[in-house]
Amino acid sequence: DTVINYPVAQGEDNSYYLYHLADGTYNQNGCLFMDHKNNPDFTDDNTVIYGHHMRSGSMFASLVKYADQAYYEVRPVFYLVTRRGRYRLEIFSAYTTTRDSDAYTLKFATKEEKDEWLVKVGEESDIRTGKQVSENDHIVTLSTCAYSFHGARYVVHAKLISIL
């Protein structure tokens, strides 16, 4: 029961869709968009999707509500539908970070490096999920602005699971 129900675009950079809709129309609200360096098929270690935190409560504004354990317990998953398939996103971590944080690491050199990253983002989390995530899993990170300090971002990490 979140308001997040939008198309996800991907551009040649991470600026265009800040102020354009998925169809290319200029719009102050922009649209949700995948990091331009990610593979569009979600095969990277970590696929990042960005969206504005709108005062109206639209776009990714509700992500910051995942700082509350009770909110998470009622809404522990997202669903993602693409041309290639349908996915269940099982949330395992959510927290405030900086825009240059390693939460935005897209690929890891080794499985050990990814495992260390998973431990770190788990320790950062505002919520306790009990979800098991391994270095073999693909992760989707949802990111929006947070207003707790200058340059703050709120991220929600989820394990990507293909469903039919």
Side-chain angles (χ1 to χ4, degrees):
D1 75 44
T2 69
V3 297
I4 301 172
N5 187 12
Y6 301 99
V8 177
Q10 186 178 31
E12 294 179 10
D13 60 36
N14 285 343
S15 299
Y16 182 79
Y17 286 109
L18 285 171
Y19 301 106
H20 290 85
L21 300 177
D23 68 4
T25 305
Y26 178 83
N27 185 291
Q28 202 57 27
N29 296 339
C31 71
L32 304 185
F33 62 94
M34 182 186 299
D35 193 288
H36 77 281
K37 294 179 183 175
N38 274 127
N39 291 319
D41 60 1
F42 296 89
T43 55
D44 288 318
D45 290 321
N46 183 27
T47 299
V48 179
I49 299 173
Y50 304 96
H52 284 301
H53 180 161
M54 304 302 293
R55 287 193 172 108
S56 66
S58 62
M59 302 300 283
F60 269 179
S62 60
L63 289 184
V64 298
K65 294 179 181 179
Y66 279 97
D68 178 20
Q69 185 73 30
Y71 187 86
Y72 160 76
E73 288 176 4
V74 176
R75 299 158 194 86
V77 299
F78 281 93
Y79 291 93
L80 177 65
V81 179
T82 72
R83 290 185 180 115
R84 294 181 178 103
R86 297 177 54 170
Y87 304 91
R88 177 181 168 100
L89 301 178
E90 293 186 352
I91 297 167
F92 67 90
S93 179
Y95 56 95
T96 303
T97 191
T98 59
R99 63 178 163 231
D100 61 349
S101 155
D102 60 357
Y104 300 101
T105 303
L106 306 181
K107 299 173 184 162
F108 300 93
T110 65
K111 288 188 178 207
E112 292 77 20
E113 184 179 306
K114 185 175 179 184
D115 189 49
E116 289 172 14
W117 180 85
L118 288 168
V119 169
K120 181 178 179 184
V121 301
E123 290 171 348
E124 295 283 330
S125 187
D126 293 328
I127 55 176
R128 298 295 163 237
T129 69
K131 300 281 185 213
Q132 297 298 315
V133 186
S134 82
E135 65 275 355
N136 296 317
D137 291 319
H138 294 283
I139 307 304
V140 174
T141 298
L142 309 178
S143 175
T144 195
C145 290
Y147 300 107
S148 49
F149 56 86
H150 180 71
R153 300 293 185 266
Y154 201 82
V155 293
V156 174
H157 298 292
K159 176 179 172 177
L160 181 74
I161 300 171
S162 181
I163 57 176
L164 299 176

